Amino acid sequence: SAVLLSLSAMMQMELPHVNVLSKIDMLMDHTDDLAFKLDYYAGVYDLSHLLQTLHTNRHPMSQKFKQLNALMAELVEDYGLVNFEPLDIQDKECALRVLSKCDTANGHIMNAEKIHDPSDPVSGIRLFHTGMSDSTEPMQEYIDRYEERLAARKEEEEEEGGGPM
């Protein structure tokens, strides 16, 4: 439903959009419950895998709406506009990545040359270069790095707090 809502808003408003999948730090505690890896949900690509999962599900509604699900998946794939940017507000790289996507979407990145510190003539460009440096990397690589940072952060919290709460 979130994908369809995002696609509908993008088509109706005709404005740049950044879809954010927030609280992924909480989601990472429940990855065993997910049918797919996080990059699949964030990327919204190849929905045929999702359709196969729905078809193998023995729930009566899955069978009843089989054709509708297939048509909606085809619609989303045909437009190819919707994806989600994962966000863990406690992770600096995550926040910078979302910020850079927002700056790119609203065109603020184009004015980076105009942000000027008299003591450093390229300060604005470097600021946005830092935010944009890894935003084109494949989602799987980014998620893998995020999972490593999250595991390290949780381990550090356990050592400081004397164990999980």
Side-chain angles (χ1 to χ4, degrees):
S1 65
V3 173
L4 290 175
L5 181 62
S6 295
L7 181 61
S8 175
M10 292 170 101
M11 299 302 292
Q12 294 295 319
M13 296 175 131
E14 298 179 1
L15 294 170
H17 280 71
V18 176
N19 300 308
V20 178
L21 183 61
S22 63
K23 300 189 183 232
I24 61 169
D25 55 325
M26 297 176 92
L27 180 68
M28 298 313 266
D29 293 336
H30 304 285
T31 54
D32 295 339
D33 300 334
L34 299 175
F36 304 103
K37 294 187 73 149
L38 180 60
D39 64 318
Y40 181 81
Y41 296 107
V44 189
Y45 57 86
D46 196 15
L47 296 178
S48 62
H49 296 301
L50 183 60
L51 289 174
Q52 287 175 337
T53 302
L54 286 173
H55 297 322
T56 58
N57 184 347
R58 297 293 175 208
H59 193 277
M61 295 306 243
S62 296
Q63 300 304 317
K64 183 176 181 178
F65 294 110
K66 181 178 180 178
Q67 189 175 14
L68 177 65
N69 291 335
L71 289 172
M72 287 191 301
E74 183 182 341
L75 175 74
V76 170
E77 284 181 342
D78 284 350
Y79 278 103
L81 296 174
V82 180
N83 63 356
F84 292 87
E85 195 60 40
L87 174 65
D88 173 1
I89 197 65
Q90 298 174 350
D91 186 76
K92 184 177 181 177
E93 186 180 350
C94 265
L96 277 174
R97 187 175 165 108
V98 171
L99 177 64
S100 71
K101 295 286 183 179
C102 294
D103 286 343
T104 301
N106 71 18
H108 188 65
I109 192 77
M110 302 305 171
N111 291 328
E113 299 86 27
K114 295 179 183 174
I115 297 173
H116 187 72
D117 178 5
S119 63
D120 187 3
V122 291
S123 61
I125 295 171
R126 272 197 308 223
L127 169 70
F128 289 101
H129 175 71
T130 302
M132 292 294 292
S133 60
D134 291 331
S135 66
T136 58
E137 76 178 311
M139 184 61 72
Q140 178 62 44
E141 292 175 18
Y142 172 68
I143 296 297
D144 289 344
R145 268 199 349 270
Y146 170 74
E147 289 173 347
E148 290 171 7
R149 286 192 315 272
L150 182 66
R153 190 171 72 211
K154 286 186 178 187
E155 186 176 295
E156 185 179 293
E157 288 173 0
E158 287 177 10
E159 288 174 3
E160 289 176 4
M165 292 186 179

